[in-house]
Amino acid sequence: GKKLVFRASRPKTSEEIKEYQNLLSNGLVQPTKMEIYTCNVDGSDLIQVTDLGNANWSPFFHPSGEKIIFCSNHSSVMGFPFNLYMVDLDGKNLEQITFDENFASFPVFSNDGKKIVFSSNRNNGGTRNSNVFIAVWIELLLKIIQTPSLLWIQNLN
C-alpha cells in the first residue's frame, strides 16, 4: 500500500506533445506508446520502469513487491501478439511469461503469490472474445529451468 504502478505515455517531440494534448482535450489517450512507471502513493519518487516501445500496460505488482508483471506488444511488428512479461522494479531482468499468438493481459496475483489470473484470447474459437485463466504460479520451477512457466488448472469461460 505504499507504491503505485501504472502505465503512461510521455511524449517528447513538439508534434507528439500536440497530438497528446489534442487527445486529452477530448478525454482520450492513444495507448500505442506507453511505458510502466512506479511512484509512492503521494506521487513522489516517480520512476520509469520500462523503455520498450509500443504498448506496455496492465501492470500489477508481484506479491514480493520486487517485480511487476504486465502486458506488452513491444516485440510485435504488427501490434500483435500481446503477452505477459515480468520485470524487476529497476527495469532489469525482463522475462516473457506467456507465449500467446494473439492476446494475453490483465494479470493479477493472489495475495499469497500462489496463483495468477489473467485474460487471453486462446481457446476462443478464433473470435475476439477473451477467456479468464487461473494458473498455479510455481516460482521454484521458474528458478530451476530459467524459463517462466505456468501450470494451467482451470479455464473459466
Side-chain angles (χ1 to χ4, degrees):
K2 296 179 181 181
K3 299 289 258 183
L4 299 174
V5 61
F6 60 96
R7 70 174 183 169
S9 58
R10 297 290 191 250
K12 294 176 176 65
T13 69
S14 59
E15 184 177 305
E16 289 173 340
I17 292 168
K18 182 179 179 183
E19 180 182 6
Y20 179 76
Q21 290 173 337
N22 285 339
L23 286 168
L24 278 182
S25 69
N26 292 308
L28 301 171
V29 295
Q30 188 171 14
T32 55
K33 295 179 183 175
M34 293 193 150
E35 299 295 342
I36 305 299
Y37 292 80
T38 62
C39 68
N40 295 327
V41 293
D42 66 2
S44 64
D45 197 25
L46 178 67
I47 297 170
Q48 183 175 340
V49 177
T50 63
D51 189 15
L52 300 172
N54 284 354
N56 302 282
W57 55 292
S58 189
F60 195 86
F61 281 112
H62 182 273
S64 69
E66 297 175 5
K67 293 181 176 282
I68 297 167
I69 191 165
F70 63 99
C71 173
S72 179
N73 69 343
H74 76 273
S75 61
S76 306
V77 177
M78 300 294 288
F80 276 88
F82 281 89
N83 276 292
L84 300 182
Y85 293 83
M86 191 173 307
V87 68
D88 293 345
L89 296 180
D90 62 4
K92 295 179 182 171
N93 299 313
L94 181 69
E95 298 177 84
Q96 188 169 347
I97 304 299
T98 61
F99 296 85
D100 283 324
E101 294 179 11
N102 292 302
F103 177 82
S105 188
F106 310 115
V108 176
F109 282 102
S110 60
N111 289 340
D112 62 8
K114 293 181 179 181
K115 292 186 180 175
I116 185 170
V117 63
F118 64 98
S119 298
S120 174
N121 286 9
R122 67 180 76 183
N123 302 337
N124 67 2
T127 68
R128 292 183 147 204
N129 295 331
S130 293
N131 294 311
V132 175
F133 292 85
I134 298 173
V136 173
W137 186 259
I138 305 173
E139 198 74 33
L140 180 60
L141 181 61
L142 301 180
K143 292 176 184 175
I144 292 171
I145 62 174
Q146 298 297 311
T147 302
S149 178
L150 298 174
L151 174 63
W152 308 111
I153 62 167
Q154 189 173 4
N155 176 2
L156 304 175
N157 286 327

